[in-house]
Amino acid sequence: MNNQVKIPNGDEKVTVELTRKELMSLAGIRFYDNHKVEVSARKKLHDLLESQDGTARQYLN
């Protein structure tokens, strides 16, 4: 079974401003004393996708 997902404008480049800690948390490094770092980074990505075309919920959930 081949499950392919088509993402409109999937190859379009976007720019997001993240702190080094946010970038590290998205790369898999855990900040056990500060979970807000990862939450903040994910929120920035979610907001960017949603502002682009309003379909962020499909891809992030």
Side-chain angles (χ1 to χ4, degrees):
M1 177 181 246
N2 188 1
N3 294 330
Q4 290 185 333
V5 177
K6 293 184 180 181
I7 300 173
N9 303 322
D11 294 326
E12 179 182 347
K13 293 185 181 189
V14 296
T15 303
V16 180
E17 284 193 32
L18 299 172
T19 65
R20 288 184 187 269
K21 286 183 179 180
E22 289 170 335
L23 179 61
M24 291 169 68
S25 72
L26 291 176
I29 296 172
R30 299 286 177 227
F31 293 90
Y32 294 105
D33 60 332
N34 192 358
H35 180 66
K36 293 178 184 178
V37 173
E38 184 176 358
V39 172
S40 173
R42 289 186 179 274
K43 182 175 180 348
K44 288 179 182 181
L45 294 178
H46 185 273
D47 290 347
L48 173 74
L49 284 172
E50 200 165 70
S51 70
Q52 293 289 316
D53 59 15
T55 58
R57 292 193 201 320
Q58 279 181 302
Y59 307 128
L60 295 179
N61 291 332

